[in-house]
Amino acid sequence: MKEIYQAKILIRYRGKYLLLKKVRDIHPEHIGGWEVPGGKIKPNEDPVTASLREIKEETDLVCKIITELKSLKLEKNGIKTLTHVYLAEASTDDVKLSDEHSEHVWISYSKIDTLDNVIYRDLFKQYVQEAEKIK
């Protein structure tokens, strides 16, 4: 079974959270879906460094990591994914997307269910609920 080590970042700005619309993915059903920024951790790279690199590459935002949230382990289509999840605070909402994503949205918890095709919607909502307790 293939294993992927990655970092995902819940980015907050003024009470809203950033979602990006995927252009490509190893899981074809995720293409066109909304996700938080993140990606694979490179060899000899720690998860925090990977998170900050992925934020910069995908959004061009400058963020401060606030805390690590509960890590996540998923298996899907013969791929085991081990994910470090972080909460970060952005200094601005001025997103400049890479070619990995086609759109972005800043969304509050109360509006998550109004957005179609959020990848792992229930998990995203759980993480946002946890983040809401952290100032």
Side-chain angles (χ1 to χ4, degrees):
M1 176 171 295
K2 181 177 180 177
E3 288 188 351
I4 294 174
Y5 298 93
Q6 66 179 8
K8 291 286 187 177
I9 311 92
L10 195 62
I11 300 176
R12 179 171 63 195
Y13 180 74
R14 296 187 178 172
K16 293 187 177 181
Y17 298 86
L18 181 63
L19 285 174
L20 309 175
K21 188 175 264 192
K22 294 191 73 102
V23 171
R24 55 183 177 270
D25 196 89
I26 58 171
H27 300 295
E29 65 274 15
H30 290 180
I31 296 170
W34 294 96
E35 68 165 357
V36 297
K40 292 178 186 163
I41 299 171
K42 293 180 178 179
N44 302 317
E45 185 178 45
D46 68 85
V48 170
T49 301
S51 296
L52 294 171
R53 176 183 51 75
E54 287 290 342
I55 291 168
K56 188 70 175 161
E57 287 175 5
E58 294 183 2
T59 70
D60 202 36
L61 289 171
V62 174
C63 293
K64 177 183 176 191
I65 300 290
I66 304 300
T67 191
E68 184 167 8
L69 302 171
K70 185 181 175 193
S71 59
L72 182 62
K73 295 177 183 177
L74 293 173
E75 278 188 36
K76 183 173 182 171
N77 303 335
I79 300 169
K80 186 181 211 175
T81 307
L82 307 169
T83 307
H84 291 269
V85 183
Y86 294 93
L87 172 62
E89 197 76 42
S91 57
T92 178
D93 63 352
D94 186 22
V95 174
K96 292 178 182 68
L97 293 176
S98 72
D99 63 358
E100 294 179 52
H101 300 94
S102 60
E103 296 178 56
H104 76 279
V105 65
W106 291 97
I107 195 161
S108 61
Y109 179 82
S110 64
K111 301 288 185 187
I112 294 169
D113 286 331
T114 67
L115 196 59
D116 287 337
N117 203 11
V118 176
I119 300 167
Y120 301 119
R121 179 186 308 273
D122 292 339
L123 279 172
F124 176 62
K125 288 172 68 174
Q126 288 173 24
Y127 279 107
V128 170
Q129 283 181 316
E130 188 62 29
E132 293 284 287
K133 299 173 191 171
I134 301 165
K135 295 299 169 200

